[in-house]
Amino acid sequence: MPAQTHLFRCLQDNFGVLVHDPATGATASIDAPEAEPVEAALKETGWRLTDILVTHHHGDHTGGIKALKEHHHCRVIAPRAEAARIPAVDVEIGEGDEVKVGSIKGRVLETPGHTAGHISYWFADEQLAFVGDTLFSIGCGRVIEGTPEMMWNSLLKLRALPDATKVYCGHEYTAANIRFAKTIEPNNKDLAAREQEVTKLLANHKSTVPSLLGAEKKENVFLRADVPAVAAAVGLSGHSPAEVFAEVRARKNKF
Ligand code: ZN
Ligand code: FE
């Protein structure tokens, strides 16, 4: 039986998402920005919270863990490198480790850069990836604790997943990300089509997430630092993709 997902908004612009295994009834919350909207989502779906899968230590991804664990006695699974900064951790995990939500199996991909120990969760059979604040729809997270090169390598790791992968990220930033991406790739037709799609979704109060990884590869400038036209657009033809990525990321910070 395929996994079911339920996406909802938390805080200002965070996403919460539940992953449910209909075979066993197990349900994981990917991160826990705050307890209340997660509780409301559980009520709406009728699902029982068994696990919280944490991507990184920032408060807008961990603020709800304590209250949810007290109420549901769920298991808290978190990146080993950041476990000391995350409340109530039960299981510490790292690169390649298997994660189970009931009978649904996923794998841990270490994707450092935004934070030094950031991880993503990939459920290959379900074609789902939960990438926290590493990859956004048409964007990527700020490089806060790592180096641009580290972040670029993390993005390459995510880019290597199959095109049909549905990508769930931590924030609704897509519209602003598209405005920026157009400054680097004004003639990217796929990006222009995506802008129309996103404008329509937001006008109808819908989320722009998940997106398909295959689309991100064509439209997300942060996954395209090794495309010669992108290097040229930032005046770095012939430079390494990591250098091009660093320049694109620096421009976004000032945008
Ligand atoms: Zn963060
Ligand atoms: Fe965040």
Side-chain angles (χ1 to χ4, degrees):
M1 265 190 279
Q4 294 172 263
T5 55
H6 180 78
L7 183 75
F8 50 96
R9 292 287 291 267
C10 298
L11 301 171
Q12 267 309 90
D13 51 33
N14 278 75
F15 285 117
V17 58
L18 300 177
V19 184
H20 178 69
D21 174 25
T24 61
T27 304
S29 176
I30 309 298
D31 288 331
E34 52 178 342
E36 258 174 52
V38 178
E39 295 285 11
L42 290 164
K43 214 169 186 186
E44 192 185 330
T45 53
W47 297 344
R48 182 178 55 90
L49 188 67
T50 52
D51 301 275
I52 300 174
L53 308 185
V54 183
T55 62
H56 67 294
H57 69 82
H58 285 160
D60 63 313
H61 298 256
T62 58
I65 292 175
K66 212 169 152 275
L68 288 167
K69 186 171 177 180
E70 272 164 24
H71 185 193
H72 299 278
H73 308 289
C74 53
R75 211 165 46 135
V76 178
I77 298 173
R80 187 171 295 121
E82 299 187 354
R85 302 170 78 175
I86 296 167
V89 174
D90 296 299
V91 185
E92 300 178 15
I93 50 171
E95 181 70 27
D97 286 345
E98 186 180 80
V99 172
K100 276 176 146 185
V101 180
S103 61
I104 292 167
K105 284 184 195 145
R107 240 172 232 298
V108 175
L109 303 173
E110 289 184 353
T111 51
H114 176 68
T115 63
H118 192 298
I119 60 172
S120 299
Y121 297 89
W122 178 39
F123 293 78
D125 295 344
E126 310 295 330
Q127 302 185 306
L128 298 171
F130 301 95
V131 300
D133 287 357
T134 298
L135 175 64
F136 292 130
S137 177
I138 318 295
C140 78
R142 268 176 195 268
V143 181
I144 299 172
E145 294 177 10
T147 63
E149 186 167 17
M150 191 186 275
M151 187 65 151
W152 170 245
N153 285 324
S154 295
L155 293 173
L156 283 180
K157 200 186 262 190
L158 295 174
R159 195 179 73 174
L161 302 181
D163 284 0
T165 308
K166 291 188 268 305
V167 181
Y168 285 83
C169 59
H171 293 267
E172 177 62 271
Y173 290 157
T174 313
N177 287 342
I178 290 173
R179 279 197 295 281
F180 170 73
K182 281 169 65 185
T183 67
I184 311 284
E185 292 196 281
N187 303 317
N188 183 328
K189 294 211 168 56
D190 297 310
L191 179 61
R194 180 72 164 278
E195 182 177 35
Q196 294 207 327
E197 204 180 295
V198 162
T199 304
K200 213 181 282 172
L201 285 169
L202 293 174
N204 291 315
H205 308 285
K206 295 210 171 98
S207 296
T208 64
V209 164
S211 58
L212 286 177
L213 188 61
E216 293 294 330
K217 290 178 193 178
K218 290 188 277 184
E219 301 157 9
N220 186 335
V221 67
F222 294 98
L223 293 180
R224 296 166 56 77
D226 51 359
V227 173
V230 171
V234 296
L236 290 176
S237 288
H239 288 249
S240 74
E243 287 173 294
V244 174
F245 169 79
E247 174 60 20
V248 175
R249 185 59 252 185
R251 288 187 185 200
K252 174 69 166 68
N253 291 349
K254 286 180 262 163
F255 183 68

